[in-house]
């Protein structure tokens, strides 16, 4: 199996000015592509050749000898998931099943939004903020570097990339502004609802 860079689910200029086409040129066109190329190189000819990404990720998670494969495969998966978490005209409070689940778990959308932003802000260095489902319960999670919920028995529902490459062109050092815009203007809650149904 050769992994390929997935097309963005929207035009690369369609999230502007919140995320610019230039950010997508680097983040999707260069960073994501490199993770995919590295995964293909590292997996080809190994016992993981032909396995799907979740299998590669969960097989190599926590194995120091295979950290290179884990990092590149998890980053390949994380980015493919992240693109789908956004859409033009997205953001704001959700509807559907996820709206009820968020209110049940966090008390309100506002409480959820604050907890999600806090996770993104307190992830020291590079990583990801997540809304996940684990043991039928919603949770906020943060992961360093390439780490990903499936390596911890959790199902990803929503993520924001908080590596600097995700926001530096458009927001420079202002990670908080990027996270606020992500929640207010970008989140595709229809996609999040589909992740709940899928599991
Ligand atoms: Mn990234």
């Amino acid at each position: 199996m050769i992994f390929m860079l997935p097309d963005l689910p929207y035009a690369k200029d369609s999230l502007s000015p919140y995320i610019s086409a230039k950010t997508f040129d680097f983040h999707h066109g260069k960073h994501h592509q490199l993770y995919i190329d590295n995964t293909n190189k590292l997996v080809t000819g190994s016992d993981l050749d032909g396995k799907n990404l979740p299998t590669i990720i969960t097989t190599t998670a926590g194995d120091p000898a295979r950290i290179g494969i884990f990092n590149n495969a998890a980053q390949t998966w994380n980015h493919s998931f992240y693109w789908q978490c956004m859409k033009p005209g997205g953001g704001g409070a959700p509807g559907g099943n996820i709206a009820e689940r968020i209110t049940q778990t966090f008390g309100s959308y506002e409480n959820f939004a604050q907890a999600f932003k806090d996770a993104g802000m307190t992830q020291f260095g590079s990583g990801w903020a997540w809304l996940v489902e684990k043991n039928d319960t919603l949770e906020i999670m943060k992961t360093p570097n390439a780490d990903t919920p499936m390596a911890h028995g959790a199902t990803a529902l929503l993520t924001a990339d908080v590596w600097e490459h995700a926001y530096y062109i458009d927001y420079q050092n202002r990670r908080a502004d990027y996270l606020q815009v992500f929640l207010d203007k970008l989140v595709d809650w229809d996609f999040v609802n589909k992740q709940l149904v899928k599991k």
Side-chain angles (χ1 to χ4, degrees), residues 2 42 50 117 157 162 173 175 181 186:
I2 294 292
L42 291 165
K117 279 184 286 181
L157 303 178
V162 296
N173 61 322
R175 186 188 288 193
V181 165
L186 296 174

Side-chain angles (χ1 to χ4, degrees), residues 87-126:
K87 68 173 182 182
N97 210 353
I98 193 69
E100 276 175 46
R101 298 287 305 279
I102 282 175
T103 304
Q104 280 168 8
T105 306
F106 303 100
S108 68
Y109 168 74
E110 289 69 26
N111 289 351
F112 152 78
Q114 191 60 54
F116 187 86
K117 279 184 286 181
D118 288 347
M121 288 304 293
T122 58
Q123 175 50 49
F124 186 76
S126 296

Side-chain angles (χ1 to χ4, degrees), residues 27 35 75 79 128 161 163 165-166:
H27 198 185
Y35 294 129
Q75 283 294 75
H79 284 87
W128 301 81
D161 189 341
W163 284 59
H165 66 219

Side-chain angles (χ1 to χ4, degrees), residues 4 9 15 35 54 81 93 114 121 145 150-151 158 169 171 199:
M4 307 278 287
L15 301 190
Y35 294 129
F81 189 83
Q114 191 60 54
M121 288 304 293
N145 302 316
M150 74 175 76
L158 173 71
I169 290 172
Y171 299 88
K199 66 168 281 287

Side-chain angles (χ1 to χ4, degrees), residues 21-34:
K22 190 174 177 189
T23 290
F24 281 117
D25 282 340
F26 283 92
H27 198 185
H28 177 255
K30 308 281 187 199
H31 290 276
H32 195 188
Q33 181 71 65
L34 185 61

Side-chain angles (χ1 to χ4, degrees), residues 4-188:
M4 307 278 287
L5 183 68
D7 289 335
L8 292 170
Y10 32 74
K12 70 178 180 182
D13 59 357
S14 64
L15 301 190
S16 182
Y18 309 122
I19 294 183
S20 64
K22 190 174 177 189
T23 290
F24 281 117
D25 282 340
F26 283 92
H27 198 185
H28 177 255
K30 308 281 187 199
H31 290 276
H32 195 188
Q33 181 71 65
L34 185 61
Y35 294 129
I36 292 167
D37 291 346
N38 285 340
T39 302
N40 285 328
K41 265 185 233 160
L42 291 165
V43 163
T44 300
S46 81
D47 58 319
L48 296 167
D49 203 342
K51 305 291 190 206
N52 64 25
L53 274 180
T55 302
I56 294 169
I57 291 165
T58 52
T59 303
T60 58
D63 181 351
R66 305 238 251 182
I67 187 73
I69 298 178
F70 175 81
N71 282 341
N72 284 284
Q75 283 294 75
T76 294
W77 190 92
N78 289 346
H79 284 87
S80 296
F81 189 83
Y82 168 63
W83 311 134
Q84 298 178 82
C85 288
M86 303 183 285
K87 68 173 182 182
N97 210 353
I98 193 69
E100 276 175 46
R101 298 287 305 279
I102 282 175
T103 304
Q104 280 168 8
T105 306
F106 303 100
S108 68
Y109 168 74
E110 289 69 26
N111 289 351
F112 152 78
Q114 191 60 54
F116 187 86
K117 279 184 286 181
D118 288 347
M121 288 304 293
T122 58
Q123 175 50 49
F124 186 76
S126 296
W128 301 81
W130 305 87
L131 174 65
V132 304
E133 191 171 34
K134 188 172 184 182
N135 304 324
D136 293 321
T137 304
L138 296 194
E139 286 179 27
I140 302 286
M141 188 179 224
K142 58 183 175 182
T143 60
N145 302 316
D147 199 11
T148 192
M150 74 175 76
H152 305 276
T155 301
L157 303 178
L158 173 71
T159 195
D161 189 341
V162 296
W163 284 59
E164 283 188 345
H165 66 219
Y167 59 86
Y168 218 84
I169 290 172
D170 299 315
Y171 299 88
Q172 293 76 52
N173 61 322
R174 291 175 283 115
R175 186 188 288 193
D177 291 356
Y178 155 72
L179 284 166
Q180 190 67 53
V181 165
F182 177 85
L183 288 168
D184 290 347
K185 304 292 185 185
L186 296 174
V187 174
D188 183 352

